[in-house]
Amino acid sequence: MSEDEIRATRLEKVEQLRQLGINPYAYHWEITHHAAELQEKFADLSNGEEVDLEVAIAGRIVARRVFGKLAFFGLQDETGTIQLYLDKKRIDAAMAQQLPDAFNHLKQLTDIGDIIGVKGTIRRTEKGELSVFVSQYAILTKSLLPLPDKWHGLTDIAKRYRQRYVDLIVNPQVRQTFRRRAQITAGIRRYLEQQGFIEIETPVLQSEAGGADARPFITYHNTLEMELYLRIATELHLKRLIVGGFEKVFELGRIFRNEGISTRHNPEFTTIEIYQAYADYNDMMSLTENIITQVAQEVLGTLKITYQGEAIDLTPPWRRVTMHELVQEKTGLDFNFSTLEEAKAAAKKAGIDGVDECDAIGKVLNEAFEQACEATLIQPTFVLDFPVEISPLAKPHRSKPGLVERFELFVVGRETANSFSELTDPMDQRQRLEAQAARKAAGDLEAQGVDEDFLTALEYGMPPTGGLGIGIDRLIMLLCDCASIRDAIAFPLLKPETSNE
């Protein structure tokens, strides 16, 4: 049967249910237990044994085996599955008043995908299957569309993301990922609150998009007659809070960047940014280790995980190495060049592409790092001390001219966190933002503009501050073994489906 024919048949069943006085779209069902709870509680029940405990459960029919006066359904709720043992004599006797011939109606008018509620006792069948021995049932929601038989066999992977609700019904592993995601974000918040941090929400609509090098989404406010940007970072507002006297603040929330989509990029994604007064990037390294190891231990029960077949050990302390050292280790290049031309020539000789566009030695160094080193950083590694040219919001390094106090955390070849000793000198900050604004004026769509109000805030005085950003989606990918960022986001952005007509 085609999907249209199945839908038509099921619509007929909706009508038949209504004629029997049954609402196929019920209002309420009182649940006493869940499937996993029953499986655990009665794990030791012997074959053929029954427990005289009345239970009421509800869920979706995921399997049906129907015989003459007996039927077995598989029922799936949020926690797992359990068998329903359906006996004609028992059901007809218990439901004689409300629905004569109840067993046959159940047999004929239900389908895989329907949501039902049942009451009954617990028994383990002679074959060893723990079951609810049903005495009464109610059809709670009649499903009109069939569930796919072999969802994993679908060639159209995008359909899993497009129809995530079906993906969730048929793939317990996907449900597990999003349950874990919720546990991980709750665990991060809990840990930070225990350390004395508070979460303060900052604006999503901003008159100046700043805090990162990224192309923003632009929208328009009709009443104010002004363009606004969706935020590309929470940084500049959280720093204003530090200026205002809060010493430990964070925000876990959505960020929007009008950029490409890939296995590691979604235009709408989640980060946590954390700022601590009187701290520097060394303190932020410890905080990063603590947050990630704490939630991994709490949610997964281990610090030794597997990502796409590769063993990853999250046991601290993690490796700390400078960008210079890594580039020298992988390419042989020692970046103590006196001129830009010299650096470009050496990088080209070492096989680094795209250096002609670089307008500073620091950018050549960064190209060499991205091309030769990033993908090799499989175990958790803090990469320290970045060039000033690519770090407009970080403090100059206290002992290394031309560098800033910044680290990025890499795991499985991916940047997972980014942190600075934050720049607190308002005059230095103005010069750097003006240099960015010049790049923007010259056509760089990712360069930041000058946020005058932020500079005014800095002029009131910001204490020494450590700042940290962690990409939540990438952290979920790592801890839940997701190959693509789309597997870590419940509803990733997809192009609309084109009609075949």
Side-chain angles (χ1 to χ4, degrees), residues 253-269:
R254 291 298 177 85
I255 300 297
F256 308 87
R257 295 183 181 174
N258 199 349
E259 295 169 353
I261 296 176
S262 73
T263 54
R264 56 173 86 181
H265 296 98
N266 194 60
E268 173 182 5
F269 59 100

Side-chain angles (χ1 to χ4, degrees), residues 215-230:
R215 188 176 180 177
F217 285 95
I218 304 172
T219 186
Y220 188 78
H221 193 295
N222 295 331
T223 308
L224 295 176
E225 296 184 340
M226 66 186 285
E227 277 193 344
L228 290 167
Y229 302 96
L230 296 189

Side-chain angles (χ1 to χ4, degrees), residues 446-458:
E446 293 189 355
Q448 299 176 51
V450 178
D451 185 333
E452 288 293 347
D453 181 72
F454 172 63
L455 291 171
T456 300
L458 283 191

Side-chain angles (χ1 to χ4, degrees), residues 274-276 279-280 284 407 418-422 465-469:
I274 305 164
Y275 293 87
Q276 180 178 342
D280 64 11
M284 293 295 113
F407 73 76
N418 185 18
S419 166
F420 314 144
S421 296
E422 299 296 338
T465 299
L468 164 66

Side-chain angles (χ1 to χ4, degrees), residues 365-417:
L365 170 65
N366 189 53
E367 276 299 331
F369 168 71
E370 286 184 358
Q371 292 178 39
C373 309
E374 262 190 29
T376 67
L377 302 174
I378 304 302
Q379 300 304 323
T381 305
F382 288 119
V383 179
L384 316 181
D385 305 343
F386 282 57
V388 67
E389 294 88 350
I390 59 163
S391 314
L393 298 162
K395 254 197 169 77
H397 198 286
R398 58 196 93 176
S399 62
K400 298 176 184 174
L403 301 180
V404 294
E405 295 200 353
R406 172 182 178 184
F407 73 76
E408 286 185 350
L409 168 67
F410 284 83
V411 197
V412 299
R414 273 199 290 265
E415 180 207 335
T416 304

Side-chain angles (χ1 to χ4, degrees), residues 203-472:
V204 171
L205 290 175
Q206 303 185 345
S207 54
E208 186 68 59
D213 287 353
R215 188 176 180 177
F217 285 95
I218 304 172
T219 186
Y220 188 78
H221 193 295
N222 295 331
T223 308
L224 295 176
E225 296 184 340
M226 66 186 285
E227 277 193 344
L228 290 167
Y229 302 96
L230 296 189
R231 67 184 182 194
I232 55 172
T234 51
E235 177 162 348
L236 303 188
H237 282 90
L238 289 170
K239 285 180 172 176
R240 285 169 169 92
L241 294 169
I242 296 283
V243 170
F246 289 103
E247 292 182 6
K248 290 181 164 186
V249 295
F250 75 94
E251 183 178 7
L252 195 157
R254 291 298 177 85
I255 300 297
F256 308 87
R257 295 183 181 174
N258 199 349
E259 295 169 353
I261 296 176
S262 73
T263 54
R264 56 173 86 181
H265 296 98
N266 194 60
E268 173 182 5
F269 59 100
T270 304
T271 66
I272 185 167
E273 290 200 35
I274 305 164
Y275 293 87
Q276 180 178 342
Y278 312 112
D280 64 11
Y281 78 144
N282 295 304
D283 301 301
M284 293 295 113
M285 268 183 263
S286 305
L287 184 61
T288 307
E289 272 179 353
N290 291 345
I291 289 171
I292 293 175
T293 53
Q294 175 88 12
V295 293
Q297 191 64 54
E298 214 174 88
V299 177
L300 307 176
T302 178
L303 296 180
K304 291 184 164 55
I305 63 170
T306 304
Y307 182 77
Q308 301 295 297
E310 184 109 42
I312 305 295
D313 188 354
L314 297 175
T315 310
W318 298 339
R319 183 187 182 199
R320 300 180 182 197
V321 58
T322 69
M323 187 185 273
H324 273 81
E325 288 164 349
L326 274 172
V327 168
Q328 188 162 11
E329 189 182 294
K330 292 284 182 271
T331 66
L333 294 173
D334 181 358
F335 261 80
N336 286 322
F337 299 109
S338 43
T339 69
L340 175 59
E341 293 315 313
E342 200 185 332
K344 283 184 179 179
K348 280 181 188 170
K349 199 173 172 187
I352 306 302
D353 300 324
V355 292
D356 286 331
E357 287 77 62
C358 296
D359 56 10
I361 293 174
K363 289 192 180 173
V364 181
L365 170 65
N366 189 53
E367 276 299 331
F369 168 71
E370 286 184 358
Q371 292 178 39
C373 309
E374 262 190 29
T376 67
L377 302 174
I378 304 302
Q379 300 304 323
T381 305
F382 288 119
V383 179
L384 316 181
D385 305 343
F386 282 57
V388 67
E389 294 88 350
I390 59 163
S391 314
L393 298 162
K395 254 197 169 77
H397 198 286
R398 58 196 93 176
S399 62
K400 298 176 184 174
L403 301 180
V404 294
E405 295 200 353
R406 172 182 178 184
F407 73 76
E408 286 185 350
L409 168 67
F410 284 83
V411 197
V412 299
R414 273 199 290 265
E415 180 207 335
T416 304
N418 185 18
S419 166
F420 314 144
S421 296
E422 299 296 338
L423 184 56
T424 53
D425 176 344
M427 305 322 286
D428 187 355
Q429 183 65 86
R430 174 174 290 282
Q431 285 171 354
R432 295 201 208 174
L433 286 180
E434 283 174 350
Q436 287 265 322
R439 277 176 43 209
K440 193 175 182 177
D444 185 338
L445 296 169
E446 293 189 355
Q448 299 176 51
V450 178
D451 185 333
E452 288 293 347
D453 181 72
F454 172 63
L455 291 171
T456 300
L458 283 191
E459 293 204 0
Y460 278 95
M462 179 163 125
T465 299
L468 164 66
I470 299 174
I472 296 294

